[in-house]
PDB file of all heavy atoms in Angstrom:
ATOM      1  N   SER A 287     119.319  83.604 106.632  1.00 91.00           N
ATOM      2  CA  SER A 287     119.893  82.707 107.631  1.00 91.00           C
ATOM      3  C   SER A 287     119.520  81.250 107.375  1.00 91.00           C
ATOM      4  O   SER A 287     120.160  80.334 107.892  1.00 91.00           O
ATOM      5  CB  SER A 287     119.449  83.124 109.044  1.00 91.00           C
ATOM      6  OG  SER A 287     118.047  82.991 109.192  1.00 91.00           O
ATOM      7  N   ASN A 288     118.476  81.038 106.553  1.00 92.00           N
ATOM      8  CA  ASN A 288     118.080  79.681 106.171  1.00 92.00           C
ATOM      9  C   ASN A 288     118.412  79.369 104.717  1.00 92.00           C
ATOM     10  O   ASN A 288     117.956  78.348 104.187  1.00 92.00           O
ATOM     11  CB  ASN A 288     116.584  79.481 106.413  1.00 92.00           C
ATOM     12  CG  ASN A 288     116.247  79.290 107.878  1.00 92.00           C
ATOM     13  OD1 ASN A 288     116.460  78.221 108.438  1.00 92.00           O
ATOM     14  ND2 ASN A 288     115.736  80.341 108.511  1.00 92.00           N
ATOM     15  N   ASP A 289     119.192  80.238 104.079  1.00 91.00           N
ATOM     16  CA  ASP A 289     119.595  80.029 102.681  1.00 91.00           C
ATOM     17  C   ASP A 289     118.403  79.711 101.796  1.00 91.00           C
ATOM     18  O   ASP A 289     118.431  78.749 101.010  1.00 91.00           O
ATOM     19  CB  ASP A 289     120.614  78.882 102.576  1.00 91.00           C
ATOM     20  CG  ASP A 289     121.952  79.241 103.201  1.00 91.00           C
ATOM     21  OD1 ASP A 289     122.137  80.399 103.588  1.00 91.00           O
ATOM     22  OD2 ASP A 289     122.811  78.349 103.298  1.00 91.00           O
ATOM     23  N   CYS A 290     117.339  80.503 101.924  1.00 92.00           N
ATOM     24  CA  CYS A 290     116.137  80.181 101.156  1.00 92.00           C
ATOM     25  C   CYS A 290     115.543  81.433 100.516  1.00 92.00           C
ATOM     26  O   CYS A 290     115.876  82.558 100.880  1.00 92.00           O
ATOM     27  CB  CYS A 290     115.098  79.489 102.034  1.00 92.00           C
ATOM     28  SG  CYS A 290     114.285  80.567 103.220  1.00 92.00           S
ATOM     29  N   HIS A 291     114.635  81.196  99.577  1.00 91.00           N
ATOM     30  CA  HIS A 291     113.965  82.283  98.868  1.00 91.00           C
ATOM     31  C   HIS A 291     113.087  83.064  99.853  1.00 91.00           C
ATOM     32  O   HIS A 291     112.353  82.472 100.647  1.00 91.00           O
ATOM     33  CB  HIS A 291     113.091  81.693  97.754  1.00 91.00           C
ATOM     34  CG  HIS A 291     112.678  82.683  96.723  1.00 91.00           C
ATOM     35  ND1 HIS A 291     111.770  83.691  96.979  1.00 91.00           N
ATOM     36  CD2 HIS A 291     113.053  82.835  95.422  1.00 91.00           C
ATOM     37  CE1 HIS A 291     111.605  84.414  95.888  1.00 91.00           C
ATOM     38  NE2 HIS A 291     112.354  83.920  94.926  1.00 91.00           N
ATOM     39  N   PRO A 292     113.132  84.409  99.813  1.00 91.00           N
ATOM     40  CA  PRO A 292     112.347  85.205 100.768  1.00 91.00           C
ATOM     41  C   PRO A 292     110.842  85.009 100.647  1.00 91.00           C
ATOM     42  O   PRO A 292     110.102  85.266 101.602  1.00 91.00           O
ATOM     43  CB  PRO A 292     112.747  86.649 100.455  1.00 91.00           C
ATOM     44  CG  PRO A 292     113.379  86.612  99.108  1.00 91.00           C
ATOM     45  CD  PRO A 292     113.990  85.261  98.965  1.00 91.00           C
ATOM     46  N   ASN A 293     110.354  84.536  99.500  1.00 92.00           N
ATOM     47  CA  ASN A 293     108.918  84.296  99.367  1.00 92.00           C
ATOM     48  C   ASN A 293     108.433  83.186 100.290  1.00 92.00           C
ATOM     49  O   ASN A 293     107.260  83.161 100.667  1.00 92.00           O
ATOM     50  CB  ASN A 293     108.556  83.956  97.915  1.00 92.00           C
ATOM     51  CG  ASN A 293     108.555  85.183  97.022  1.00 92.00           C
ATOM     52  OD1 ASN A 293     108.819  86.293  97.477  1.00 92.00           O
ATOM     53  ND2 ASN A 293     108.285  85.006  95.750  1.00 92.00           N
ATOM     54  N   TYR A 294     109.317  82.251 100.641  1.00 95.00           N
ATOM     55  CA  TYR A 294     108.936  81.231 101.617  1.00 95.00           C
ATOM     56  C   TYR A 294     108.611  81.880 102.965  1.00 95.00           C
ATOM     57  O   TYR A 294     107.641  81.529 103.627  1.00 95.00           O
ATOM     58  CB  TYR A 294     110.069  80.217 101.808  1.00 95.00           C
ATOM     59  CG  TYR A 294     110.240  79.225 100.686  1.00 95.00           C
ATOM     60  CD1 TYR A 294     111.482  79.055 100.078  1.00 95.00           C
ATOM     61  CD2 TYR A 294     109.178  78.448 100.238  1.00 95.00           C
ATOM     62  CE1 TYR A 294     111.664  78.131  99.056  1.00 95.00           C
ATOM     63  CE2 TYR A 294     109.345  77.529  99.210  1.00 95.00           C
ATOM     64  CZ  TYR A 294     110.588  77.369  98.622  1.00 95.00           C
ATOM     65  OH  TYR A 294     110.757  76.458  97.614  1.00 95.00           O
ATOM     66  N   VAL A 295     109.431  82.844 103.347  1.00 93.00           N
ATOM     67  CA  VAL A 295     109.215  83.536 104.622  1.00 93.00           C
ATOM     68  C   VAL A 295     107.932  84.355 104.557  1.00 93.00           C
ATOM     69  O   VAL A 295     107.123  84.344 105.491  1.00 93.00           O
ATOM     70  CB  VAL A 295     110.418  84.440 104.965  1.00 93.00           C
ATOM     71  CG1 VAL A 295     110.230  85.076 106.345  1.00 93.00           C
ATOM     72  CG2 VAL A 295     111.713  83.642 104.941  1.00 93.00           C
ATOM     73  N   SER A 296     107.733  85.074 103.446  1.00 91.00           N
ATOM     74  CA  SER A 296     106.509  85.869 103.287  1.00 91.00           C
ATOM     75  C   SER A 296     105.274  84.984 103.403  1.00 91.00           C
ATOM     76  O   SER A 296     104.293  85.352 104.064  1.00 91.00           O
ATOM     77  CB  SER A 296     106.506  86.572 101.929  1.00 91.00           C
ATOM     78  OG  SER A 296     107.561  87.491 101.837  1.00 91.00           O
ATOM     79  N   TYR A 297     105.310  83.837 102.754  1.00 90.00           N
ATOM     80  CA  TYR A 297     104.161  82.929 102.774  1.00 90.00           C
ATOM     81  C   TYR A 297     103.817  82.510 104.199  1.00 90.00           C
ATOM     82  O   TYR A 297     102.650  82.539 104.614  1.00 90.00           O
ATOM     83  CB  TYR A 297     104.465  81.700 101.920  1.00 90.00           C
ATOM     84  CG  TYR A 297     103.352  80.682 101.906  1.00 90.00           C
ATOM     85  CD1 TYR A 297     102.290  80.797 101.011  1.00 90.00           C
ATOM     86  CD2 TYR A 297     103.351  79.617 102.794  1.00 90.00           C
ATOM     87  CE1 TYR A 297     101.258  79.876 101.002  1.00 90.00           C
ATOM     88  CE2 TYR A 297     102.321  78.691 102.795  1.00 90.00           C
ATOM     89  CZ  TYR A 297     101.281  78.830 101.895  1.00 90.00           C
ATOM     90  OH  TYR A 297     100.258  77.908 101.901  1.00 90.00           O
ATOM     91  N   LEU A 298     104.842  82.151 104.957  1.00 90.00           N
ATOM     92  CA  LEU A 298     104.598  81.672 106.323  1.00 90.00           C
ATOM     93  C   LEU A 298     104.207  82.818 107.253  1.00 90.00           C
ATOM     94  O   LEU A 298     103.360  82.648 108.137  1.00 90.00           O
ATOM     95  CB  LEU A 298     105.834  80.944 106.847  1.00 90.00           C
ATOM     96  CG  LEU A 298     106.185  79.651 106.087  1.00 90.00           C
ATOM     97  CD1 LEU A 298     107.525  79.096 106.571  1.00 90.00           C
ATOM     98  CD2 LEU A 298     105.089  78.603 106.245  1.00 90.00           C
ATOM     99  N   LEU A 299     104.806  83.988 107.066  1.00 87.00           N
ATOM    100  CA  LEU A 299     104.414  85.141 107.877  1.00 87.00           C
ATOM    101  C   LEU A 299     102.962  85.533 107.605  1.00 87.00           C
ATOM    102  O   LEU A 299     102.220  85.894 108.523  1.00 87.00           O
ATOM    103  CB  LEU A 299     105.334  86.329 107.580  1.00 87.00           C
ATOM    104  CG  LEU A 299     106.750  86.276 108.163  1.00 87.00           C
ATOM    105  CD1 LEU A 299     107.586  87.422 107.605  1.00 87.00           C
ATOM    106  CD2 LEU A 299     106.726  86.344 109.687  1.00 87.00           C
TER     107      LEU A 299
END
Side-chain angles (χ1 to χ4, degrees):
S287 64
N288 284 283
D289 292 353
C290 72
H291 197 290
N293 284 0
Y294 285 127
V295 184
S296 296
Y297 178 85
L298 295 173
L299 285 172

